[in-house]
Amino acid sequence: MVDDPLLRTVDLEKHFGGVKALDGVSIEVEPAKVTMLIGPNGSGKTTLINVVGGALRPDGGKVLYRDEDITYLPPHERYRRGIVRTFQVPKPFRSLSVLENLLVASRAGLDTSAAKILLSTDWAKKEEELIEKAFRILELLNIDHLWDTRADQLSGGQMKLLEMGRALMSEPSLLLLDEPVAGVNPTLAHDIMSHIVKLRDEIGLTFLIVEHRLDITLQYVDRVYAMHQGRVISHGTPEEVMSDPKVVEAYLGD
Amino acid sequence: MINLFLLLVDIGTMYGVFLILSASMELEYGELGIPNFGKVMFFAAGAFAVGALAVRLGTWLAGIQWQGEFKTKSILYSTAVSNYFATHPLQALLVFAVTLVVAAVFGAILGIVASYPAIRLREDYLAITLIAAGELFRIFGRNYDPFIGGTMGVGVPDILAWMPPGTKEAGYIALSLSFAAASWLILYRLSTSPFGRALRAIRDEELAAATLGKDIVKYRMKVLALGSAMAAVAGVIYAYYMGSVLADDFNPLKTFLVVLMVVLGGSGNPYGTLVGVAVYIFLDRTLALLKHYIILPFDINYAAMLFFGVILLLVLMYRPEGIIPERPLLTIRAKFCRTKEGKLEKRLCK
Amino acid sequence: MIDPNILLDALVYSNMLALLSLSLTLTIMTLKVANFAHGDLAIIGVYGAYTFIVIAGLATYLTMPLAFLFGGIYAVLCYLLIYSPLRRRGANFVMLMIASMAIDIATRALLQIYADLLKFNFKVYSRAFIFNDFTANILGVQVRGLVLVSSLSVIALLALLYILLMKTKFGVAMRAAIENPALAEVLGINVEKVYATSWFLAGGFAGIAGFFLPFRIPTSPDLGFIILLPIFAASILGGINSLSGAVVGGYIVGFSEILGTYLLSQPPINLSTAYRPAIPFTILIITLLLLPQGIASLWSRGD
């Protein structure tokens, strides 16, 4: 029995000049499942993540989250509803330390009111708890020794992990991961994927992942959507999709 | 001797005024990354509010009947009000408090209005918009006589007239420096708190910050409201200290000087403003002193302007991080320190 | 009815603005940041020309090429000594903008000092000076020389720029370097040289525009800052990345400013002409709110 999908896109369209990056894309992301988007370069995967995450407005179609139309909501409103994303090219807050990068993502809202900061000291206690929590995530990702390093001093792989750490810190219900293990060494990449599965099983987190490294990731995911030239050409379990002749053709033809 | 005293009063008071302005610029530009090139407009908002209200409120409280044009008589009546304040300190403080609140609110509202284009425009468009708005505000002050006396300027009554002779000047220093200290502490507290962290996150990577839940529009609005209210308070202090308000005093050069102080001191670090303002005032006073000893075939004020322009260019080129560079600030650093192996230990540092 | 002289004055002013917004746009295309010292380039040009008029006794209109030269050289120096090194050191957008503001302050100070020195050494007016014009009789109508000269200059300079950009090898290199500097570099184009040349041309155009100033109004060192707002308004109205848009923007802002100021200062409104900057400011705000891509987006699909 299939649950109601957490996220649905309906006939999404997005053009860049004359190029159709999304050409009627409809997908469903089931709750507490890991769903992966695959496809050759330029097939529209990242555009889809951008539209779902709110970085891009689609030219047509809808994005529904828990049956609410969120197509034109700004990113911070999506965050409030539990949708958080990472970026293919990491976007760390470069002059902040690694620890601070994580704290920014916190859902505690200590940073929303200047007046509260000025007039009380309550936030400091909460902040301590957040720091503890941030450290647990940093330890998990194996970058806790870098906590005081400025984010722009990190290597590419470490920045990827920082992106992941920020996303986890934000306690999402739906995590959009744009190439989470690209540039990460294989051992750590497997660790990250196992952790994703653990989060799915233990707290029912839902994932939508774009990744090229199928050799590592495929074994961890529940559902796969294969895209080609802005369209979904196949979907199902990883086995079903990978044995679909259309998918094989799309990859070979690229 | 008395000259030295007055010089110190002037330096101290102006340090305070410029520190408030720099703290507000640091909050907007250093922390949030919005270069507010309309700074002088918000500074003027405070000074103009005092110019337009102080002498009117004063004459009303003193029960003086106003005869003649505002433009020609404001200086005269401000002296009369000063004399009244000499025996009525409470009324003087009341006028100060009222103008201060009005100015701060006026500044904050202007800041919120300015945040509307600030959200949407690229920085250079925003800059020219704010510069032009400031210039129009100045032109309005200069041409609409009933507002602040037009080209004649307006007299501002002495709110410290009731203080014993000789201590009044110290009073102005104290006034200026206490407001400056408060402004700087607000800046410091915000900068080293989750709020400041969110601002720097937005400055560094806007999209990532929005994705992590930061409502960028709201942050810009809040910061511009607060920064502009601060600048207006600086204008209030400046107006009372100078004893008059002249529209043409509020030209874009003032904005440039504040930018110079923030960049020179080190933008992104609250301590930078303390140093930047001090260095500027030191250089400015030194140049002013030189005027008495050097005779040049041109006005030395222009040489000073050239000097400050070149200084800013040199800083941008050779030390863009300023005298005191930004560093990641921990909100509660004391609780976390490294062990010998570089690992983190979660206990109070000795 | 509007006095024809006011229309002609609007034409002259617009000719000047068109050159300035065109040249500002040219520098923005290379630097990607608006140069707040652009108005000062015009004043550099006119002070250069004025110096030769009062010292060497040259006939006024003969010094026009000198205005071009002075404006151009100063612009190239700004680019080579400040903007280009700053960018190589990784200065971001806002830092370049702050630098241009510092250049504006320093340039106006330099001009003030120069004006003082000119007065001190040669005992001539060095501020609020004006140029005398000749009057031409065209088919029985008396026309100021400036009307003809400024209009012809705009036509000639635009034609020159068009030929340079569209018909020469240099133009191809320039357009390539503006559109995709990295690719142009790979193709063997010396991007730095192309940009410096663009700055020279832009400064020269600004210098010519500056040369027209003293015919209309008394000219002083700070005038460059005062004309900055209409220049920006014209350039932004034109759609900051379009040369043709900048020219059209110059005429729209120029005519609106002159005619608007004239009409608003007449009964029944009687507004002081001091509020004149409100007109380009209003145009600027309306453009940014309603047509942020500028009017050029109406006829070209943003190149």
Side-chain angles (χ1 to χ4, degrees):
Chain A
M1 195 48 221
V2 179
D3 289 326
D4 273 352
L6 185 67
L7 176 90
R8 277 194 300 144
T9 72
V10 185
D11 294 330
L12 282 178
E13 304 266 346
K14 181 74 195 174
H15 318 265
F16 293 110
V19 184
K20 276 195 170 175
L22 296 180
D23 188 3
V25 173
S26 302
I27 64 163
E28 295 190 346
V29 177
E30 292 161 39
K33 290 267 158 51
V34 180
T35 304
M36 183 153 83
L37 295 168
I38 64 167
N41 281 329
S43 56
K45 307 181 299 285
T46 291
T47 306
L48 183 58
I49 291 275
N50 278 331
V51 167
V52 173
L56 284 179
R57 283 167 159 257
D59 299 320
K62 273 184 187 165
V63 181
L64 300 168
Y65 179 73
R66 296 189 205 274
D67 292 327
E68 181 194 4
D69 187 346
I70 60 162
T71 317
Y72 299 108
L73 283 186
H76 69 267
E77 284 290 341
R78 294 176 204 234
Y79 167 96
R80 277 184 47 192
R81 285 160 176 76
I83 306 175
V84 174
R85 69 167 292 190
T86 66
F87 296 89
Q88 187 181 346
V89 179
K91 292 184 185 296
F93 305 122
R94 57 185 176 278
S95 58
L96 269 55
S97 68
V98 166
L99 178 63
E100 283 183 296
N101 261 273
L102 260 69
L103 293 173
V104 169
S106 141
R107 206 166 275 276
L110 300 183
D111 53 15
T112 49
S113 167
K116 264 188 201 150
I117 299 283
L118 293 172
L119 301 175
S120 89
T121 49
D122 292 352
W123 60 270
K125 238 192 153 53
K126 275 297 268 295
E127 178 91 345
E128 257 178 75
E129 290 165 21
L130 293 178
I131 291 174
E132 296 275 352
K133 184 181 160 196
F135 267 110
R136 283 199 297 278
I137 292 170
L138 290 177
E139 276 161 25
L140 182 92
L141 296 169
N142 220 353
I143 48 172
D144 55 323
H145 60 292
L146 296 169
W147 69 279
D148 205 13
T149 308
R150 261 177 69 118
D152 57 2
Q153 311 286 316
L154 299 179
S155 71
Q158 288 165 343
M159 282 189 192
K160 274 275 174 212
L161 295 175
L162 178 60
E163 284 267 326
M164 188 74 187
R166 284 196 313 208
L168 293 179
M169 185 74 189
S170 70
E171 295 176 355
S173 359
L174 169 63
L175 241 180
L176 315 169
L177 302 176
D178 198 349
E179 302 198 9
V181 298
V184 175
N185 74 60
T187 319
L188 192 52
H190 279 288
D191 285 353
I192 290 175
M193 290 311 294
S194 321
H195 188 69
I196 286 174
V197 169
K198 206 169 109 197
L199 288 168
R200 175 198 65 191
D201 296 339
E202 285 177 5
I203 56 172
L205 213 58
T206 309
F207 291 87
L208 178 61
I209 300 178
V210 168
E211 187 53 68
H212 279 292
R213 293 172 73 183
L214 305 184
D215 52 325
I216 291 176
T217 46
L218 219 46
Q219 53 189 297
Y220 297 97
V221 306
D222 305 306
R223 310 281 301 170
V224 174
Y225 279 86
M227 290 182 68
H228 184 51
Q229 294 176 344
R231 294 164 178 273
V232 173
I233 53 169
S234 178
H235 67 98
T237 63
E239 295 75 26
E240 283 165 10
V241 172
M242 291 320 285
S243 55
D244 188 330
K246 277 181 288 185
V247 175
V248 178
E249 194 187 323
Y251 268 94
L252 291 179
D254 197 46
Chain B
M1 271 325 278
I2 193 75
N3 267 342
L4 184 65
F5 176 64
L6 286 181
L7 184 71
L8 287 176
V9 167
D10 195 47
I11 289 178
T13 312
M14 290 315 288
Y15 183 84
V17 168
F18 276 122
L19 184 58
I20 302 173
L21 288 173
S22 296
S24 76
M25 181 69 93
E26 160 63 21
L27 189 64
E28 294 160 349
Y29 172 56
E31 306 283 322
L32 187 54
I34 304 174
N36 184 350
F37 282 117
K39 185 53 72 195
V40 73
M41 170 167 59
F42 306 102
F43 183 45
F48 288 8
V50 171
L53 290 177
V55 67
R56 289 184 167 105
L57 268 176
T59 46
W60 180 67
L61 282 177
I64 300 170
Q65 278 297 315
W66 194 293
Q67 284 168 336
E69 256 188 306
F70 184 72
K71 178 181 181 172
T72 48
K73 292 285 194 255
S74 76
I75 308 266
L76 189 76
Y77 282 109
S78 77
T79 313
V81 173
S82 297
N83 291 336
Y84 167 76
F85 283 168
T87 50
H88 295 78
L90 276 179
Q91 280 81 346
L93 292 180
L94 179 69
V95 168
F96 175 70
V98 169
T99 49
L100 185 74
V101 170
V102 169
V105 170
F106 183 38
I109 291 171
L110 274 183
I112 290 170
V113 172
S115 79
Y116 188 78
I119 290 151
R120 287 156 187 85
L121 302 185
R122 44 184 264 196
E123 290 87 345
D124 48 355
Y125 293 6
L126 174 67
I128 190 72
T129 307
L130 289 176
I131 291 172
E135 280 291 272
L136 281 169
F137 192 42
R138 178 180 67 80
I139 290 170
F140 174 71
R142 183 194 154 91
N143 285 282
Y144 184 66
D145 296 341
F147 180 38
I148 49 164
T151 47
M152 302 270 286
V154 58
V156 174
D158 184 359
I159 46 157
L160 298 185
W162 46 273
M163 290 180 78
T167 59
K168 197 180 77 182
E169 287 73 18
Y172 274 108
I173 290 200
L175 190 70
S176 174
L177 289 184
S178 54
F179 274 92
S183 303
W184 189 83
L185 285 173
I186 288 174
L187 166 70
Y188 181 79
R189 189 64 190 274
L190 290 179
S191 173
T192 55
S193 77
F195 187 79
R197 185 167 65 213
L199 299 186
R200 287 195 299 277
I202 292 169
R203 180 197 64 189
D204 282 358
E205 276 298 342
E206 206 174 295
L207 180 57
T211 305
L212 294 172
K214 307 302 164 229
D215 186 343
I216 289 163
V217 174
K218 262 196 194 148
Y219 277 103
R220 289 195 171 172
M221 209 181 260
K222 282 179 185 171
V223 165
L224 276 168
L226 179 59
S228 304
M230 277 161 80
V233 168
V236 170
I237 309 243
Y238 182 70
Y240 280 117
Y241 171 65
M242 298 299 282
S244 65
V245 174
L246 188 63
D248 282 348
D249 196 12
F250 297 85
N251 57 48
L253 183 65
K254 289 266 189 309
T255 303
F256 166 80
L257 292 176
V258 177
V259 172
L260 170 71
M261 290 173 220
V262 170
V263 174
L264 178 68
S267 69
N269 190 327
Y271 291 106
T273 55
L274 294 176
V275 177
V277 179
V279 172
Y280 165 73
I281 289 193
F282 172 75
L283 293 176
D284 183 58
R285 293 296 138 160
T286 311
L287 288 170
L289 210 63
L290 283 179
K291 267 180 226 177
H292 301 294
Y293 300 102
I294 302 179
I295 299 188
L296 291 170
F298 53 85
D299 187 340
I300 196 169
N301 286 319
Y302 299 133
M305 251 173 81
L306 177 61
F307 177 71
F308 288 125
V310 171
I311 291 247
L312 182 51
L313 287 173
L314 290 176
V315 171
L316 286 172
M317 227 176 272
Y318 298 105
R319 199 174 164 86
E321 69 276 23
I323 296 172
I324 305 184
E326 177 180 351
R327 62 168 67 101
L329 288 158
L330 264 189
T331 44
I332 27 184
R333 180 174 282 275
K335 300 268 180 193
F336 298 88
C337 44
R338 291 162 189 269
T339 59
K340 283 175 212 116
E341 299 83 45
K343 269 275 182 188
L344 189 85
E345 204 166 286
K346 282 160 217 152
R347 59 174 169 74
L348 277 165
C349 296
K350 295 277 149 48
Chain C
M1 234 345 257
I2 295 172
D3 184 345
N5 279 321
I6 287 171
L7 286 174
L8 287 180
D9 185 47
L11 176 66
V12 169
Y13 180 67
S14 304
N15 284 337
M16 189 199 82
L17 262 191
L19 286 181
L20 283 167
S21 80
L22 172 72
S23 48
L24 174 67
T25 302
L26 195 58
T27 59
I28 293 175
M29 285 170 131
T30 60
L31 193 66
K32 311 292 177 217
V33 180
N35 174 20
F36 284 82
H38 194 73
D40 302 329
L41 295 174
I43 310 303
I44 293 273
V46 69
Y47 265 90
Y50 181 65
T51 307
F52 279 82
I53 293 169
V54 293
I55 295 173
L58 287 182
T60 309
Y61 277 112
L62 284 185
T63 59
M64 227 167 102
L66 291 172
F68 186 98
L69 209 59
F70 279 102
I73 290 172
Y74 195 81
V76 171
L77 289 179
C78 287
Y79 180 74
L80 290 180
L81 296 181
I82 297 157
Y83 292 122
S84 177
L86 265 179
R87 199 157 50 174
R88 272 201 306 276
R89 287 163 198 269
N92 61 28
F93 191 92
V94 174
M95 282 164 72
L96 287 173
M97 198 175 94
I98 292 176
S100 87
M101 203 147 293
I103 292 177
D104 165 58
I105 296 287
T107 305
R108 283 193 280 145
L110 267 180
L111 282 165
Q112 296 280 13
I113 292 170
Y114 182 73
D116 277 351
L117 289 175
L118 203 60
K119 190 173 165 192
F120 183 80
N121 289 319
F122 297 97
K123 312 285 177 258
V124 293
Y125 285 114
S126 62
R127 289 191 177 80
F129 60 85
I130 51 167
F131 287 170
N132 292 317
D133 205 353
F134 64 90
T135 322
N137 189 325
I138 297 174
L139 305 170
V141 182
Q142 298 289 317
V143 181
R144 293 181 61 199
L146 183 63
V147 175
L148 301 174
V149 175
S150 67
S151 303
L152 290 176
S153 304
V154 169
I155 293 167
L157 289 174
L158 286 183
L160 190 83
L161 189 66
Y162 180 82
I163 292 168
L164 187 70
L165 282 177
M166 298 298 173
K167 309 284 177 195
T168 66
K169 221 179 132 190
F170 177 80
V172 176
M174 194 154 144
R175 281 182 291 148
I178 285 170
E179 241 158 65
N180 191 337
L183 185 64
E185 201 87 61
V186 174
L187 293 174
I189 294 170
N190 186 340
V191 173
E192 192 66 6
K193 203 168 129 191
V194 168
Y195 281 6
T197 313
S198 309
W199 276 75
F200 178 74
L201 287 175
F205 279 35
I208 294 277
F211 174 80
F212 299 147
L213 280 169
F215 291 100
R216 291 189 64 250
I217 42 170
T219 301
S220 295
D222 274 342
L223 193 55
F225 184 76
I226 296 166
I227 56 174
L228 197 61
L229 173 62
I231 303 173
F232 267 71
S235 180
I236 291 173
L237 174 63
I240 213 96
N241 275 318
S242 162
L243 294 175
S244 54
V247 174
V248 176
Y251 285 97
I252 294 178
V253 173
F255 271 89
S256 316
E257 194 178 330
I258 300 288
L259 299 183
T261 310
Y262 171 73
L263 292 175
L264 291 175
S265 65
Q266 299 296 309
I269 302 174
N270 291 324
L271 196 67
S272 160
T273 53
Y275 293 110
R276 180 171 161 169
I279 293 172
F281 183 70
T282 309
I283 295 176
L284 179 80
I285 297 285
I286 291 175
T287 309
L288 291 174
L289 290 181
L290 301 182
L291 200 64
Q293 302 301 312
I295 43 171
S297 62
L298 301 177
W299 65 77
S300 71
R301 295 205 317 150
D303 40 340

